[in-house]
Amino acid sequence: VRAAPRAPDFIVADYHLGTGESGLDAIRAIRAACGGTPAAIVVTGDRSDEVRRAVGGAGAHLLHKPLRTAQLRSLLAHLAVS
């Protein structure tokens, strides 16, 4: 990310990465590395209030699995004009 000519417009991350870290950790690291706050979307099958609050607290958008392509496309289009 640091070597990229510009910051990403969006970050799409799975919540459970299986590495002991979450997608929110990845989002924080990417945002810190690029020095900005690109829009972030977290995808998860976890419907708990804890995850919902954590994603909202990170300033990210939440989409639940199974994810329909139209959902993601619609949210990306909305974020692109915001």
Side-chain angles (χ1 to χ4, degrees):
V1 172
R2 286 185 188 105
R6 61 181 218 131
D9 293 322
F10 310 105
I11 303 166
V12 180
D14 197 314
Y15 184 77
H16 295 288
L17 298 179
T19 61
E21 295 181 314
S22 75
L24 297 178
D25 296 319
I27 290 166
R28 281 189 284 275
I30 293 167
R31 285 176 170 170
C34 71
T37 54
I41 301 169
V42 175
V43 180
T44 184
D46 189 329
R47 296 181 181 269
S48 70
D49 288 338
E50 178 183 347
V51 168
R52 183 182 48 77
R53 284 190 299 270
V55 170
H61 299 270
L62 177 63
L63 292 176
H64 288 106
K65 295 177 185 177
L67 182 63
R68 293 188 325 267
T69 306
Q71 284 179 293
L72 180 58
R73 187 179 317 122
S74 175
L75 182 52
L76 287 171
H78 171 75
L79 294 173
V81 297
S82 295

